[in-house]
Amino acid sequence: DAKTTQPPSMDCAEGRAANLPCNHSTISGNEYVYWYRQIHSQGPQYIIHGLKNNETNEMASLIITEDRKSSTLILPHATLRDTAVYYCIVRVKKYNNNDMRFGAGTRLTVKP
Amino acid sequence: ETGVTQSPTHLIKTRGQQVTLRCSSQSGHNTVSWYQQALGQGPQFIFQYYREEENGRGNFPPRFSGLQFPNYSSELNVNALELDDSALYLCASSLVGTTQETQYFGPGTRLLVL
């Protein structure tokens, strides 16, 4: 599976959009981009995933560049409860092989 | 809430002992994956169970073993505990074999080895 690079930390003002970048320059054509977040001492929470098209759900938007070498997770109106470590993961959706490899993630701090 | 539950929530053991951690998967899911998360690090994949058999393993020694039961719940067993085994142990369930293969995590079991 391809590796990802994320900034170790970011700050965002409450109510503003939080844009979290992820570099995955070695991504293969059949690898998906997944985003999870982990609030202190809790289990990781699934946010969103995509292959090549931009995706949006009730939590966030995922923008994947046309060459798929990078992506951005957007939290449109960050709240204090969005303070967490955000993980970008790329993986192949293989039948019977569903592991994920987490990196260090980005620690997002939302400030009032 | 993901519907994935883990027990116990916290556990203290001494070096050399054995421990069993339990995970109940989300309803309808057929696969359970286990992860170890040391303090300040991202989760590390231990192994995955599908149809009651181990199906993929990360870089963990054989003293880490598991089981999956017919109801898709799972156990993680660790023998001969070492101090470095102190960590948050996470399980995640998913429905492999369909387009919906996203993993959903439980709250974790925090293990402290003294």
Side-chain angles (χ1 to χ4, degrees):
Chain A
D1 290 344
K3 293 184 178 179
T4 62
T5 303
Q6 299 178 253
S9 64
M10 294 181 62
D11 290 341
C12 177
E14 188 178 18
R16 304 295 293 269
N19 297 283
L20 292 96
C22 180
N23 182 285
H24 32 79
S25 58
T26 60
I27 193 170
S28 301
N30 60 348
E31 288 184 310
Y32 287 72
V33 179
Y34 278 76
W35 283 84
Y36 281 76
R37 72 180 182 184
Q38 188 171 27
I39 298 170
H40 182 62
S41 295
Q42 298 181 18
Q45 177 188 23
Y46 166 76
I47 302 173
I48 199 168
H49 75 280
L51 183 61
K52 54 183 177 181
N53 297 320
N54 297 339
E55 301 287 346
T56 296
N57 63 20
E58 65 279 2
M59 290 184 66
S61 294
L62 173 60
I63 308 298
I64 303 174
T65 58
E66 192 167 343
D67 63 7
R68 302 206 328 120
K69 293 185 177 182
S70 66
S71 60
T72 301
L73 178 74
I74 302 172
L75 307 178
H77 305 286
T79 71
L80 299 179
R81 288 181 294 180
D82 291 322
T83 292
V85 178
Y86 287 76
Y87 296 100
C88 169
I89 301 157
V90 293
R91 58 173 281 264
V92 176
K93 275 189 177 181
K94 301 177 195 173
Y95 183 77
N96 283 0
N97 189 347
N98 201 21
D99 64 280
M100 293 193 300
R101 309 296 167 127
F102 287 78
T106 296
R107 181 172 299 279
L108 174 69
T109 303
V110 180
K111 298 184 175 181
Chain B
E1 293 294 328
T2 62
V4 180
T5 61
Q6 293 186 244
S7 63
T9 55
H10 296 81
L11 201 54
I12 299 175
K13 292 286 189 178
T14 57
R15 192 170 49 183
Q17 285 189 311
Q18 178 265 343
V19 69
T20 298
L21 310 181
R22 294 175 176 84
C23 173
S24 292
S25 60
Q26 183 170 316
S27 177
H29 284 183
N30 58 11
T31 301
V32 174
S33 302
W34 286 92
Y35 295 79
Q36 180 196 66
Q37 186 174 24
L39 201 61
Q41 298 181 20
Q44 300 300 305
F45 175 68
I46 303 174
F47 46 54
Q48 179 185 85
Y49 274 82
Y50 172 70
R51 292 184 175 176
E52 302 179 47
E53 292 189 359
E54 186 179 296
N55 177 47
R57 189 178 186 96
N59 189 27
F60 282 82
R63 60 189 185 85
F64 285 79
S65 63
L67 287 171
Q68 187 182 31
F69 301 99
N71 66 354
Y72 305 118
S73 65
S74 177
E75 288 183 353
L76 165 65
N77 299 289
V78 186
N79 294 321
L81 283 167
E82 300 176 1
L83 298 180
D84 286 347
D85 295 333
S86 295
L88 179 67
Y89 287 85
L90 297 158
C91 78
S93 74
S94 56
L95 181 59
V96 170
T98 70
T99 56
Q100 179 54 271
E101 296 177 35
T102 300
Q103 292 190 11
Y104 294 92
F105 284 80
T109 293
R110 188 162 297 281
L111 172 65
L112 177 61
V113 182
L114 301 176

